[in-house]
Amino acid sequence: MQREPQFISIFDTTLRDGEQSPGCTMQPREKLRFAHQLAALKVDVIEAGFPVSSLDDFAGVQMVAREVRGPVIAALCRSLPVDIDRAWEAIREAQHPRIHTFLATSDIHMKFKLQKNRSQVLVMAREAVRRAKGHTDDVEFSAEDATRSDLDFLCEVVAVALEEGATVINIPDTVGYTVPEEYKEILQTLRRKVPALERAILSVHCHNDLGLGVANSLAAVEAGARQIECTINGIGERAGNASLEEVVMALRVRRERLGFDTRVATPEIYRTSQLLSNITGVAVQPNKAVVGKNAFAHEAGIHQHGVMASPTTYEIMTPESVGVKTSSLVLGKHSGRHALDQRFRELGFELEPEKLAQAYLLFTRLADQKKEIFDEDLVALVNDGLSDGADAYQLRAVQATAGTHSVATALVILFDGEKEITETASGDGPVNAVFEAINRITGFQGELLDFHLASVTGGADALGEVFLRVRFPEGTFSGKAASTDIVGSSAQAYLKAVNKVIQRVRSAEPIVNA
Ligand code: KIV
Ligand code: ZN
């Protein structure tokens, strides 16, 4: 007889822990756009940010709280009155607000980071949860670096948080140090020694420093955890967090074995992963489980033959179950606006008339350069090409020359909202010359950390997609853009990073990370 699965709550922290990974900073409107997609994905909780960390983050969390309906909206705060009040201020208009307060409990963190002893930390935990409960009933308490904490002390802190009414207790593996069996033992001991824990939701939050984030999260479920904190594409501090798509698909595919499932709308997974990559400009590694380009690609002849006979030979889940389309409809020069609109809708994009007009213009330009336009091209066009009017500079034109025996030169024309500005520069190559010209116009001097190019589809006329990361004195920002001309996509991607740093400078805020 089949067991009825129980549901694990999926707490998505892409907009908070994920956003803390280098180059993944998001602007408030980008956070809002992504949060809407998380709601479509049907996650249970969206951790929208860390409001005290910057004005931008506060604004992003507040927008999400005001506009996104369905999931619980959580805001992170240290166990300090000013943080807690600021978090509440940001989420008070949410349909279901949650304050998430955290405090380190390991000896290492207490000594070197907090410079507090155990009794002081116990008092802080009590006061933090009490203060948060003064604002809202739904309060999550996290014992930071729990897996390296003295277990008896961890039990004491958790008991105090529960006495004050915490509704969710999170036991993070902050530095990705634990292993599955050990993590289970920690959670089992906590449940045994702190009986009040049965009245709260036990949550886990696993980092991936040893590549065990997902394995530890699944082990935790066996030990009684009912909330898993994770991120899309596994982004997060250092090696990242447990990846949402892996956790969710492991629970779905192995539901009978594990006895648990989630409410996640899995066909939305791929789109969510792509949207994140487009917003942050950080590419998904090709062999990434579930959402990587190769996740459903079969290279070896024997495998291809097997899959043709029956996909079940080498596929444990269907591409469709996670929203990966295997056949990509082709549009071309003669496709009209209606066909384009229809295809966008099928791909999950509901474009307002103004955006559709913009998209159609880009589409016709692309169709002049490229005979067949695939779904992947359309997605790149929407994600990279549509301007929301908030950027400080827009690219009007770029022209570059290069050759084996000549110095590369570039001419760039940018629009600053009022006028067009033209600059020329030379460089080591055409791309470098273009970046230099952009630096001259904008006055921002970035250092290129990463640059890579991939083709969106096959074929000699494929769109070339550029991903890059640039370090400015104000922080590291990434950019991504696609065009049939790789110098053009490099210019667009670089300008995106520059526009991000300009927005950060305009909001002129120091950043505090959790
Ligand atoms: O890794 C961690 O411990 C955290 C907490 C703030 C939950 O991100
Ligand atoms: Zn974390």
Side-chain angles (χ1 to χ4, degrees):
M1 201 177 73
Q2 279 189 4
R3 281 187 291 168
E4 272 304 306
Q6 294 182 49
F7 291 101
I8 301 295
S9 177
I10 293 296
F11 176 116
D12 179 276
T13 182
T14 310
L15 293 175
R16 200 279 298 167
D17 215 323
E19 206 230 2
Q20 287 174 210
S21 35
C24 288
T25 327
M26 293 183 223
Q27 306 302 325
R29 274 168 304 101
E30 292 172 333
K31 280 198 159 191
L32 180 62
R33 184 166 171 217
F34 191 69
H36 276 302
Q37 179 55 35
L38 287 174
L41 182 65
K42 294 201 178 346
V43 302
D44 300 278
V45 185
I46 297 174
E47 183 161 59
F50 184 18
V52 84
S53 66
S54 72
L55 285 181
D56 256 3
D57 211 37
F58 180 90
V61 176
Q62 192 172 51
M63 274 186 189
V64 172
R66 284 181 175 157
E67 295 188 33
V68 177
R69 293 292 174 254
V72 170
I73 307 297
L76 186 73
C77 47
R78 289 170 297 188
S79 287
L80 299 172
V82 51
D83 276 41
I84 297 167
D85 296 351
R86 193 82 177 133
W88 175 242
E89 198 49 40
I91 53 163
R92 60 187 310 154
E93 293 172 55
Q95 186 184 21
H96 308 291
R98 173 182 296 177
I99 296 178
H100 177 193
T101 183
F102 74 99
L103 183 59
T105 52
S106 67
D107 289 337
I108 300 176
H109 276 227
M110 287 188 293
K111 180 170 173 199
F112 295 108
K113 196 175 87 168
L114 298 179
Q115 279 135 22
K116 303 260 182 242
N117 60 33
R118 290 186 181 186
S119 341
Q120 288 169 313
V121 164
L122 278 174
V123 171
M124 281 178 79
R126 185 179 291 288
E127 288 177 353
V129 177
R130 188 177 292 170
R131 191 168 189 106
K133 286 294 276 192
H135 293 308
T136 180
D137 188 49
D138 192 352
V139 174
E140 172 165 341
F141 176 79
S142 281
E144 193 191 9
D145 205 16
T147 51
R148 292 194 301 168
S149 302
D150 174 82
L151 199 43
D152 287 332
F153 179 62
L154 183 64
C155 290
E156 273 187 74
V157 180
V158 166
V160 159
L162 288 165
E163 267 168 40
E164 294 300 327
T167 43
V168 183
I169 294 292
N170 185 34
I171 305 298
D173 183 29
T174 303
V175 289
Y177 177 71
T178 200
V179 292
E181 278 306 311
E182 178 189 41
Y183 200 28
K184 267 167 78 173
E185 281 164 28
I186 293 172
L187 300 174
Q188 281 158 350
T189 306
L190 272 164
R191 289 181 66 199
R192 201 176 57 249
K193 293 200 170 166
V194 190
L197 198 46
E198 298 307 305
R199 294 197 303 274
I201 296 171
L202 180 57
S203 169
V204 288
H205 173 116
C206 298
H207 278 271
N208 218 15
D209 299 65
L210 294 174
L212 292 172
V214 173
N216 284 334
S217 304
L218 295 179
V221 168
E222 282 182 44
R226 293 295 176 264
Q227 174 177 283
I228 295 180
E229 304 195 357
C230 43
T231 59
I232 295 291
N233 298 342
I235 65 168
E237 280 285 358
R238 307 179 308 280
N241 291 57
S243 125
L244 181 147
E245 58 277 9
E246 293 174 22
V247 164
V248 165
M249 290 316 289
L251 290 169
R252 177 71 45 92
V253 171
R254 302 308 312 275
R255 183 169 44 182
E256 279 170 31
R257 162 90 203 186
L258 300 173
F260 294 92
D261 201 348
T262 71
R263 295 188 175 81
V264 167
T266 62
E268 292 292 327
I269 284 180
Y270 186 65
R271 186 178 305 145
T272 315
S273 158
Q274 287 292 300
L275 179 62
L276 179 66
S277 169
N278 284 313
I279 290 177
T280 59
V282 176
V284 181
Q285 80 196 56
N287 62 327
K288 170 78 183 62
V290 184
V291 292
K293 210 172 178 158
N294 297 345
F296 296 96
H298 303 281
E299 190 69 15
I302 296 174
H303 288 212
Q304 289 173 347
H305 189 251
V307 170
M308 276 191 289
S310 167
T312 55
T313 49
Y314 287 103
E315 282 179 359
I316 57 164
M317 57 194 147
T318 64
E320 292 76 18
S321 67
V322 295
V324 171
K325 297 219 167 21
T326 41
S327 72
S328 151
L329 205 100
V330 186
L331 295 181
K333 207 176 175 123
H334 302 293
S335 310
R337 189 185 296 239
H338 181 71
L340 185 67
D341 185 25
Q342 179 69 22
R343 196 64 197 140
F344 276 136
R345 282 174 199 280
E346 284 161 8
L347 291 171
F349 297 101
E350 302 263 333
L351 298 185
E352 292 153 12
E354 193 190 315
K355 285 266 157 76
L356 181 64
Q358 235 188 79
Y360 187 66
L361 189 70
L362 293 174
F363 169 77
T364 51
R365 276 191 209 149
L366 185 60
D368 279 339
Q369 298 162 342
K370 202 172 178 292
K371 237 172 54 212
E372 293 177 323
I373 298 184
F374 297 95
D375 291 345
E376 293 88 336
D377 298 321
L378 295 181
V379 171
L381 189 148
V382 171
N383 285 325
D384 301 340
L386 297 189
S387 145
D388 56 13
D391 291 341
Y393 292 96
Q394 286 166 30
L395 185 70
R396 282 289 155 87
V398 55
Q399 200 179 331
T401 53
T404 38
H405 300 298
S406 59
V407 176
T409 56
L411 175 140
V412 171
I413 305 177
L414 300 186
F415 179 65
D416 71 359
E418 288 173 359
K419 57 185 181 316
E420 286 186 349
I421 310 168
T422 306
E423 251 316 338
T424 53
S426 55
D428 289 342
V431 170
N432 179 249
V434 166
F435 293 173
E436 194 44 47
I438 293 178
N439 290 345
R440 287 187 187 173
I441 297 177
T442 60
F444 282 85
Q445 191 72 39
E447 182 198 344
L448 193 64
L449 297 179
D450 249 0
F451 177 95
H452 78 262
L453 180 65
S455 72
V456 172
T457 59
D461 63 353
L463 285 182
E465 197 161 31
V466 168
F467 296 83
L468 48 73
R469 237 159 27 98
V470 190
R471 183 161 47 214
F472 299 92
E474 297 78 6
T476 299
F477 296 88
S478 44
K480 170 177 174 291
S483 161
T484 47
D485 151 32
I486 58 167
V487 175
S489 43
S490 305
Q492 282 285 14
Y494 189 76
L495 191 60
K496 278 189 184 171
V498 173
N499 278 326
K500 285 182 186 173
V501 71
I502 294 175
Q503 251 180 34
R504 169 54 46 83
V505 169
R506 286 183 180 164
S507 68
E509 268 291 289
I511 305 170
V512 183
N513 280 332

